[in-house]
Amino acid sequence: MPAPSRFDQIAERVERLLVRHEEVQRTNALLQDQVNALTRERDALKSRLGAARQRLDALLEQLPADPTQDSSASR
């Protein structure tokens, strides 16, 4: 069997590179999907955190400013 010509070697290498490029593109698309999902999850958690902070702030505003006032009022 004769040795492959320089052109055949280059063509084979190009084919391997194209296959590898397609694999990298698929991997990149999967990673981008994961990034998008994590971004949505992060945004949802930030929203929940903000809502929880607002509820806590509202509860804290209902507490008496001076703790001794609360105990003396109950006597």
Side-chain angles (χ1 to χ4, degrees):
M1 184 166 163
S5 70
R6 186 78 172 137
F7 178 79
D8 290 338
Q9 290 174 345
I10 292 171
E12 184 179 328
R13 175 103 171 118
V14 167
E15 288 298 323
R16 286 196 313 263
L17 288 171
L18 286 172
V19 168
R20 180 67 182 132
H21 177 68
E22 290 171 0
E23 291 171 356
V24 169
Q25 283 185 315
R26 281 193 302 271
T27 301
N28 188 50
L30 292 172
L31 289 171
Q32 189 60 51
D33 289 344
Q34 289 180 352
V35 166
N36 292 339
L38 289 171
T39 299
R40 287 190 301 273
E41 183 180 357
R42 181 207 60 202
D43 292 345
L45 289 171
K46 284 172 69 174
S47 176
R48 289 176 56 194
L49 175 62
R53 280 186 175 153
Q54 287 178 344
R55 290 192 304 272
L56 282 173
D57 288 342
L59 288 172
L60 289 173
E61 288 177 11
Q62 293 176 8
L63 293 176
D66 186 0
T68 58
Q69 289 177 349
D70 187 39
S71 62
S72 63
S74 62
R75 289 185 188 171

